[in-house]
Amino acid sequence: ELKAFHAHPAFEKRLNPDSAARFFERHCVPGTESIYLNIHKVRPGTFLTFDDKSCQGRESVYWSLSEAIEHGADNRFLGDEVDLLERMDDILSRAVKRQMISDVPLGAFLSGGVDSSLIVSQMRRFCSDRIKTFTIGFDEVGYDESAYAAAVAKHLGTEHFELTVRMDEAQAVAPKLCEIYDEPFADSSQIPTYIVSKLARQQVTVCLTGDGADELFAGYSRYEKTLNAWGMRRKLPSSAWSVLAPMGRAVERITCRSPKFARLNRAARVAGLFGAREITDYYATASNFVRLNRVARRGRVGFTMPELHAVSDLERLGEYDIRTYMPDDILVKVDRSAMAVSLETRAPFLNHEVAEFAFSLPPEMKHHAGNGTVHTKWPLRQLLYNHVPEQMIERPKMGFGVPIAQWLRAGLKDWAESYILDPTIADDGLLDAKAIRRLWVDHQNKASDNSSVLWAVLMFCTWRERWL
């Protein structure tokens, strides 16, 4: 953990202003940089070997994402849909069976969606006892999926544990987050992730998760939306967009403060991103990248485009998330939350054979068009329907949303204000105090939902108070 460096006498607690500024773009500290100067993260798919005499490190690659993607593109799966489902079932079942090997109690997170439900249905094949499953719900309408998880659990015959997260529990967890994550981290679903991990740890020591399926099998709805937007982008020449884009950015600034213009604001945001010719505009539209209100006054920001190796537009979107959103956000969130309560998590979809097979699939086998509708994660859905009725699964995807906007106006308000209105909040010159307070007032007055950027400010301030 990053906090271990604090014990070393040579460690210097020097903030990296570029990392701080990028944190306010991405809600995490992205890439191999850390929040501290001269402290770096080990790249995914590698390990470091240190010589104890020279103190020099040597990096070794044990699995290459680039090679796996290129091999998949050169060796496409050529079977029909029946062959696809047989192969997918065989590879995934072997991955689940291997990851169920444990000498301690084992269970699974279950949201009632495609990914976790499929993992649990596969686990039943290799477990004679009832599988323990865990989920959480919310009192707030529009965020609670616990009833869906309970229905799937009943159908699959699991021993199901459920907890409703209330504001007082969120209030108790919020101050602990800076200890759990070591760096500023502001994906607000970190709260329920920690709570469901704590719930699971009361019964088991290892939990299987459904992480990785959306990135590998094109499950995010924003992919389809972006492909449509990119099709619109291609209908007009770059010269036209060079005129429309500044207009879009102007409209975006005008409409961003009122929920009445939410749809116009989204359209203006897309138009504003299409001003440049660079392909980075495309991925900025589709990725988890959010152009937040600028509250950091120092540090370089910007959309950094990794080298991509996938062939099709859809696959490149998934690859971008696998290289950025997954290791920087999703896996950090789950790993830190779970290990904070000594719970080990395992993600069968991220087994290398499952991933390599996913890279070999033609895009149309992931985004399956039928009856005028695009079905995402098609092979995973078809496998699941062998175990769970389709009508029990098919519903609008909610994600792991958190009612943070409501909480910041209610149970978390006093705690948040102690940081937001702190007169010393901008003493180090990093944060723009006036901009932050304006966002806070607008949020409290319900003039706009600024919970995303305000949560990032709070996570940064609590981290800075604890570690700098």
Side-chain angles (χ1 to χ4, degrees):
E1 295 178 302
L2 187 56
K3 63 173 66 76
F5 285 100
H6 291 258
H8 198 285
F11 175 63
E12 296 181 284
K13 294 191 290 184
R14 295 172 58 201
L15 178 76
N16 184 335
D18 294 343
S19 293
R22 289 166 186 157
F23 160 74
F24 285 105
E25 285 187 324
R26 302 302 293 265
H27 291 180
C28 57
V29 179
T32 56
E33 299 300 310
S34 80
I35 194 63
Y36 298 110
L37 285 170
N38 303 318
I39 302 293
H40 307 277
K41 299 166 187 168
V42 181
R43 292 190 306 120
T46 68
F47 61 83
L48 294 179
T49 304
F50 282 93
D51 184 281
D52 60 351
K53 295 179 180 178
S54 67
C55 290
Q56 296 298 309
R58 178 172 57 84
E59 181 183 80
S60 301
V61 176
Y62 62 82
W63 187 80
S64 169
L65 176 63
S66 301
E67 291 179 4
I69 290 173
E70 291 172 355
H71 184 269
D74 293 337
N75 299 271
R76 287 295 192 192
F77 179 77
L78 300 177
D80 60 18
E81 293 178 356
V82 174
D83 298 329
L84 165 62
L85 296 181
E86 288 181 356
R87 183 80 184 280
M88 184 78 251
D89 187 42
D90 176 57
I91 293 174
L92 182 60
S93 65
R94 283 190 281 115
V96 169
K97 183 178 181 180
R98 280 197 293 267
Q99 296 203 10
M100 287 180 68
I101 296 173
S102 175
D103 56 3
V104 293
L106 177 142
F109 293 155
L110 179 63
S111 69
V114 172
D115 311 333
S116 61
S117 299
L118 180 54
I119 294 300
V120 173
S121 71
Q122 293 280 344
M123 292 174 70
R124 290 178 66 225
R125 300 162 67 171
F126 309 110
C127 185
S128 56
D129 299 326
R130 292 179 70 195
I131 299 165
K132 289 181 169 65
T133 55
F134 307 90
T135 194
I136 55 167
F138 298 95
D139 285 333
E140 288 78 5
V141 176
Y143 293 90
D144 185 28
E145 289 190 292
S146 59
Y148 302 118
V152 173
K154 183 178 180 180
H155 183 82
L156 294 176
T158 73
E159 185 179 357
H160 192 57
F161 299 84
E162 179 183 311
L163 177 68
T164 299
V165 179
R166 295 184 170 85
M167 241 182 313
D168 58 340
E169 289 161 316
Q171 195 172 358
V173 170
K176 299 177 182 178
L177 296 173
C178 61
E179 289 281 351
I180 293 172
Y181 287 90
D182 291 359
E183 289 187 301
F185 186 82
D187 181 335
S188 58
S189 61
Q190 63 200 123
I191 293 177
T193 303
Y194 172 78
I195 293 174
V196 75
S197 297
K198 191 175 181 181
L199 172 68
R201 186 61 184 87
Q202 296 170 10
Q203 303 291 331
V204 301
T205 311
V206 177
C207 255
L208 269 60
T209 81
D211 292 321
D214 282 319
E215 291 83 359
L216 287 167
F217 294 92
Y220 291 121
S221 59
R222 52 188 161 87
Y223 290 173
E224 183 182 359
K225 293 176 182 177
T226 304
L227 293 177
N228 293 336
W230 197 241
M232 179 181 69
R233 165 70 169 85
R234 288 169 172 154
K235 290 179 180 178
L236 292 176
S238 297
S239 57
W241 284 110
S242 65
V243 176
L244 290 172
M247 294 171 58
R249 287 191 286 270
V251 172
E252 182 187 3
R253 286 192 294 271
I254 295 170
T255 58
C256 68
R257 294 168 66 85
S258 174
K260 292 188 293 185
F261 300 109
R263 293 183 66 180
L264 178 59
N265 180 259
R266 286 194 294 269
R269 179 173 181 263
V270 171
L273 286 167
F274 286 156
R277 297 185 181 186
E278 290 81 9
I279 196 71
T280 54
D281 291 336
Y282 179 21
Y283 295 95
T285 308
S287 73
N288 201 45
F289 173 80
V290 181
R291 293 195 297 160
L292 296 175
N293 306 64
R294 281 301 307 277
V295 296
R297 306 182 73 171
R298 291 191 290 128
R300 292 176 297 174
V301 296
F303 187 80
T304 303
M305 190 67 193
E307 182 181 359
L308 300 179
H309 295 77
V311 177
S312 72
D313 286 340
L314 181 65
E315 292 170 303
R316 287 166 70 85
L317 289 170
E319 181 186 356
Y320 179 82
D321 276 339
I322 292 169
R323 292 188 182 276
T324 56
Y325 182 46
M326 182 191 290
D328 295 341
D329 186 313
I330 296 296
L331 298 182
V332 169
K333 175 185 67 180
V334 177
D335 179 67
R336 303 295 190 277
S337 294
M339 290 309 296
V341 295
S342 300
L343 178 75
E344 178 188 345
T345 56
R346 302 174 182 175
F349 285 116
L350 296 181
N351 169 273
H352 71 97
E353 291 182 355
V354 175
E356 288 160 8
F357 181 64
F359 295 138
S360 74
L361 295 181
E364 59 272 15
M365 282 187 161
K366 298 177 184 179
H367 262 204
H368 192 281
N371 299 323
T373 304
V374 174
H375 301 277
T376 62
K377 295 184 289 194
W378 186 83
L380 304 187
R381 292 179 189 276
Q382 300 308 307
L383 283 185
L384 179 58
Y385 299 156
N386 293 330
H387 306 279
V388 179
E390 181 176 350
Q391 61 270 21
M392 193 176 286
I393 295 295
E394 291 304 338
R395 61 184 186 275
K397 186 178 177 66
M398 294 172 65
F400 208 18
V402 181
I404 198 72
Q406 294 96 307
W407 289 351
L408 288 176
R409 296 187 183 111
L412 294 179
K413 181 179 178 181
D414 291 343
W415 169 77
E417 277 192 336
S418 69
Y419 291 96
I420 298 294
L421 304 183
D422 184 348
T424 66
I425 190 172
D427 280 359
D428 60 3
L430 180 68
L431 298 179
D432 186 333
K434 289 183 178 179
I436 292 169
R437 287 164 189 159
R438 186 166 57 248
L439 292 168
W440 178 254
V441 170
D442 286 348
H443 185 78
Q444 295 303 317
N445 294 336
K446 298 185 179 180
S448 56
D449 180 359
N450 297 321
S451 57
S452 182
V453 64
L454 289 170
W455 188 250
V457 170
L458 290 166
M459 290 298 96
F460 181 82
C461 289
T462 54
W463 171 84
R464 182 174 60 181
E465 178 183 64
R466 172 63 182 88
W467 295 111
L468 282 186

